[in-house]
């Protein structure tokens, strides 16, 4: 017995030594780097991120990555994470040391994908810079389009495309956005109109005798003159010249978009919707596609279902020969999406396919932005669409019937506060019949409103604070009017469609909800 135990012990010792020697020769698994990744690329069917990464990539960045993964036509780009925003504010508006190298690497991937380079003398790349918070904050932060344009690039683009009007229109738009968002050329106290819009109207008055002359009919000569006046306006208001270096433009835009997280309207909006201030925003830099290249190009926004009623119809608006900001800004009144089937049948057919793919994948009603560039469709954004209380109930019930979601999911889909829409005030039918009708318009939200008419957000706030009910009347609303929108019972504009009202006027519904509590 003793010998047997001794033999077993020796074998055990030998086995231990052999195992130890084998273990010592195995390659060690390298430790994962704890160095944070600040930039995520998407394009050509590949994305570093996914739709599950909204806290890091923001809603827009996460959905751009997800749409790229499922094969939708998304222009390539990259996302700077919300962690960069947190660092930006914690370190006196500066960036992590490794960020510049990560941005340069991601930009190089974009340039390789599209065969263009930022600032190139032969094939210049133009990009957009957009915000993208974890929760949707439409119109509350800033956007820059056509970045990369300068005095030389505009001539190259005009020659390459054979479309000088498109090139100069893109340049004047970029100057207007960059001057406003990055360089701070905005309306001063006491001014009713944005300074760039005033410059446009003055030129129209001088050359055509009316300031409501359509933008799309401005000539190349007109646009060149606007570019000249815009640069002079920037110099006059800021004491600085517009930067011609595209890299300087890019970093200026990135800083401005991160900076817009803490602008007044964004802070007011977050307080209203209960969005934490420390979440921060991501920034998305993406290859530009153009809806303003002529009658074969367009831009629009759409919902996969009607956000007011919940009906399963494709709902939205678009403009021919325009850029995305035109639709949501309300500068021009857009066309209903159904008309696109006649004007651009192939693009409409493509959109209907995208609509089905998005609902099947995200299993919710989607709010999407699209551009058609010379008859080719691109999807620029998707997100779960805002909806009325009526629509929330109908969409949830219908999607259960379509086997997209379960009954439990349907119940979770309907926020308790959205049911307040069902209690929004309406006009008495008999009184409405007896009233003298003086006009009609497009409704962006449920309910009815009455009050003293005021023509500025400041007056709306002042009168509301004294207990007066007011209706805010504007040519078109802008995000800067947010405080006045919240104070007003209703909002009336002379320009714009449902999309521009929905983008800028969600506080209209908030006000009515508060009154019905």
């Amino acid at each position: 017995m003793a010998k047997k135990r001794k033999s077993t012990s020796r074998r055990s010792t030998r086995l231990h030594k052999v195992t130890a020697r084998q273990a010592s020769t195995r390659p060690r698994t390298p430790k994962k780097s704890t160095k944070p990744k600040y930039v995520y690329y998407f394009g050509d069917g590949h994305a570093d991120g996914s739709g599950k990464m909204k806290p890091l990539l923001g809603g827009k960045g996460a959905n751009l990555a997800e749409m790229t993964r499922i094969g939708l036509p998304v222009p390539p780009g990259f996302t700077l994470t919300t962690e960069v925003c947190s660092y930006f504010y914690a370190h006196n508006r500066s960036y992590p040391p490794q960020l510049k190298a990560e941005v340069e690497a991601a930009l190089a991937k974009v340039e390789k994908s599209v065969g263009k380079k930022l600032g190139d003398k032969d094939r210049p790349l133009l990009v957009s810079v957009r915000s993208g918070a974890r929760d949707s904050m439409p119109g509350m932060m800033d956007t820059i389009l056509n970045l990369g344009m300068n005095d030389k690039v505009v001539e190259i683009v005009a020659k390459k495309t054979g479309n000088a009007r498109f090139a100069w229109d893109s340049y004047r738009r970029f100057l207007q956005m960059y001057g406003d968002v990055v360089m701070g050329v905005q309306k001063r106290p006491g001014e009713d109109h944005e300074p760039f819009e005033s410059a446009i109207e003055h030129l129209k008055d001088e050359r055509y005798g009316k300031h409501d002359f359509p933008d799309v009919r401005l000539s190349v000569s007109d646009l060149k003159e606007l570019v000249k006046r815009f640069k002079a306006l920037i110099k006059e208001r800021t004491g600085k010249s517009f930067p011609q270096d595209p890299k300087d433009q890019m970093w200026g835009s990135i800083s401005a978009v991160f900076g817009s997280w803490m602008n007044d309207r964004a802070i007011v909006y977050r307080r209203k919707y209960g969005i934490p201030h420390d979440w921060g925003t991501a920034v998305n830099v993406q290859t530009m596609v153009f809806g303003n290249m002529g009658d074969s190009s367009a831009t629009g926004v759409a919902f996969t279902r009607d956000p007011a009623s919940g009906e399963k119809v494709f709902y939205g608006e678009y403009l021919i020969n325009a850029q995305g900001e035109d639709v949501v800004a309300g500068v021009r009144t857009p066309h209903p999406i159904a008309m696109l089937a006649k004007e651009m049948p192939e693009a409409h057919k493509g959109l209907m396919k995208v609509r089905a793919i998005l609902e099947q994948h995200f299993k919710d009603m989607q709010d999407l932005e699209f551009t058609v560039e010379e008859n080719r469709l691109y999807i620029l954004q998707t997100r779960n669409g805002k909806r009325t209380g009526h629509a929330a109930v109908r969409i949830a019930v219908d999607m259960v019937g379509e086997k997209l979601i379960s009954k439990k999911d349907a119940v979770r889909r309907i926020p308790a506060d959205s049911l307040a829409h069902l209690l929004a005030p309406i006009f008495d039918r008999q009184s409405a019949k007896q009233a003298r009708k003086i006009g009609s318009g497009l409704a962006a939200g449920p309910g009815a409103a009455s009050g003293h008419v005021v023509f500025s957000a400041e007056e709306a706030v002042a009168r509301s604070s004294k207990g007066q009910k007011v209706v805010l009347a504007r040519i078109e609303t802008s995000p800067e009017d947010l405080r006045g929108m919240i104070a007003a019972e209703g909002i009336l504009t002379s320009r714009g469609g449902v999309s521009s009202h929905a983008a800028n006027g969600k506080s209209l519904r908030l006000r009515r909800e508060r009154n019905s509590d």
Side-chain angles (χ1 to χ4, degrees):
M1 294 287 291
K3 288 182 179 179
K4 191 173 182 180
R5 283 196 299 270
K6 188 175 181 180
S7 174
T8 303
S9 177
R10 282 198 300 267
R11 284 199 302 271
S12 176
T13 302
R14 286 197 300 270
L15 182 61
H16 176 75
K17 290 179 179 178
V18 171
T19 304
R21 284 197 300 270
Q22 288 175 342
S24 67
T25 60
R26 288 176 188 159
R28 293 183 180 179
T29 304
K31 292 181 180 179
K32 289 186 178 180
S33 173
T34 57
K35 191 176 182 180
K37 179 180 174 69
Y38 289 119
V39 179
Y40 286 71
Y41 172 79
F42 57 87
D44 301 320
H46 166 76
D48 294 340
S50 73
K52 297 178 180 179
M53 300 173 68
K54 287 185 179 180
L56 185 66
L57 302 180
K60 185 174 292 182
N63 285 342
L64 284 169
E66 193 67 16
M67 288 195 296
T68 301
R69 283 171 173 263
I70 63 176
L72 294 183
V74 176
F78 55 89
T79 301
L80 284 72
T81 68
T82 56
E83 290 181 349
V84 179
C85 187
S86 299
Y87 187 103
F88 181 77
Y89 284 107
H91 294 81
N92 196 28
R93 295 183 176 240
S94 63
Y95 294 115
Q98 67 268 39
L99 183 67
K100 185 176 181 180
E102 287 192 38
V103 167
E104 291 293 338
L107 179 61
K109 283 186 178 181
V110 173
E111 291 173 336
K112 183 178 179 181
S113 171
V114 298
K116 298 178 181 179
K117 285 192 173 185
L118 200 64
D120 191 73
K121 294 180 181 179
D122 186 43
R123 290 179 58 79
L125 171 68
L126 301 180
V127 298
S128 64
V129 180
R130 301 172 187 257
S131 62
R134 189 188 309 190
D135 274 10
S136 176
M137 294 174 57
M140 297 303 108
M141 290 179 287
D142 293 321
T143 292
I144 305 287
L145 304 179
N146 309 333
L147 189 150
M149 272 289 186
N150 58 29
D151 292 347
K152 293 180 179 178
V153 168
V154 67
E155 299 286 2
I156 297 166
V157 172
K159 184 177 180 181
K160 287 282 183 183
T161 61
N163 189 340
R165 192 194 180 284
F166 155 71
W168 286 95
D169 183 48
S170 298
Y171 193 15
R172 71 93 182 168
R173 289 169 183 270
F174 176 46
L175 281 165
Q176 185 169 352
M177 289 185 190
Y178 196 92
D180 176 355
V181 173
V182 182
M183 303 188 77
V185 181
Q186 299 169 355
K187 63 181 179 182
R188 293 167 173 167
E191 291 182 342
D192 289 329
H193 302 289
E194 302 294 337
F196 290 106
E197 287 298 325
S198 294
I200 294 172
E201 291 184 357
H202 289 156
L203 180 134
K204 290 177 178 179
D205 282 333
E206 291 170 14
R207 298 195 172 189
Y208 301 101
K210 53 183 179 179
H211 61 259
D212 59 349
F213 185 80
D215 286 2
V216 292
R217 292 177 59 188
L218 292 174
S219 67
V220 174
S221 173
D222 296 334
L223 295 167
K224 286 183 176 181
E225 179 61 25
L226 280 178
V227 165
K228 181 180 175 182
R229 294 187 187 188
F230 282 3
K231 286 194 288 187
L233 177 61
I234 290 171
K235 181 73 172 178
E236 175 198 334
R237 290 285 184 106
T238 69
K240 299 176 183 177
S241 297
F242 167 76
Q244 294 288 317
D245 187 330
K247 291 286 179 72
D248 291 341
Q249 296 171 2
M250 183 177 70
W251 284 105
S253 299
I254 289 171
S255 293
V257 174
F258 276 131
S260 69
W261 174 254
M262 294 303 291
N263 69 31
D264 180 67
R265 64 181 185 269
I267 292 170
V268 170
Y269 188 94
R270 289 198 297 274
R271 285 174 181 161
K272 211 69 183 165
Y273 277 93
I275 298 172
H277 294 305
D278 60 0
W279 275 5
T281 183
V283 171
N284 301 285
V285 180
Q286 189 175 19
T287 303
M288 281 296 305
V289 287
F290 297 95
N292 60 327
M293 291 189 73
D295 292 340
S296 63
S297 301
T299 188
V301 295
F303 295 82
T304 54
R305 305 189 187 216
D306 189 327
S309 69
E311 185 181 358
K312 191 178 180 180
V313 294
F314 199 40
Y315 179 93
E317 297 170 320
Y318 71 97
L319 285 168
I320 298 286
N321 195 20
Q323 286 200 302
E325 292 300 298
D326 295 340
V327 178
V328 296
V331 177
R332 291 164 57 189
T333 301
H335 307 298
I337 200 76
M339 287 182 63
L340 192 66
K342 293 181 179 179
E343 293 196 276
M344 293 183 172
E346 286 303 311
H348 186 268
K349 186 178 177 181
L351 270 175
M352 296 305 287
K353 288 181 180 178
V354 168
R355 173 197 181 197
I357 291 169
L358 287 175
E359 282 210 347
Q360 192 64 39
H361 186 78
F362 290 100
K363 302 189 185 305
D364 201 351
M365 186 262 279
Q366 294 295 294
D367 168 5
L368 61 128
E369 295 180 16
F370 67 90
T371 288
V372 180
E373 180 182 286
E374 296 186 322
N375 294 312
R376 184 173 178 180
L377 175 67
Y378 295 92
I379 307 301
L380 306 182
Q381 173 174 295
T382 192
R383 58 193 173 197
N384 292 341
K386 304 285 186 182
R387 65 207 74 180
T388 65
H390 296 272
V393 173
R394 180 168 180 176
I395 290 169
V397 171
D398 286 352
M399 285 191 167
V400 170
E402 295 162 25
K403 295 182 168 43
L404 281 175
I405 60 175
S406 68
K407 289 182 179 179
K408 286 185 178 180
D409 289 333
V411 173
R412 294 192 195 103
R413 287 275 174 91
I414 306 169
D417 58 356
S418 74
L419 296 178
H421 293 169
L422 303 174
L423 305 176
I426 59 174
F427 290 131
D428 177 76
R429 290 186 180 182
Q430 192 60 37
S431 298
K433 286 181 181 178
Q434 294 174 358
R436 184 166 67 92
K437 183 178 177 181
I438 61 172
S440 60
L442 302 171
S450 64
H452 294 280
V453 175
V454 297
F455 298 95
S456 72
E458 293 78 11
E459 187 179 359
V461 172
R463 283 181 175 267
S464 177
S465 67
K466 295 176 182 177
Q468 297 181 22
K469 291 185 176 183
V470 299
V471 172
L472 176 61
R474 304 283 286 156
I475 295 174
E476 70 256 351
T477 53
S478 72
E480 284 72 23
D481 294 322
L482 181 61
R483 288 184 182 273
M485 293 175 178
I486 293 172
E489 300 295 311
I491 303 165
L492 177 68
T493 68
S494 59
R495 294 181 191 162
V498 173
S499 301
S500 59
H501 297 160
N504 291 324
K506 289 193 172 63
S507 54
L508 173 66
R509 293 200 287 270
L510 286 171
R511 176 68 180 181
R512 290 169 179 159
E513 289 166 15
R514 188 176 67 194
N515 289 342
S516 63
D517 285 344

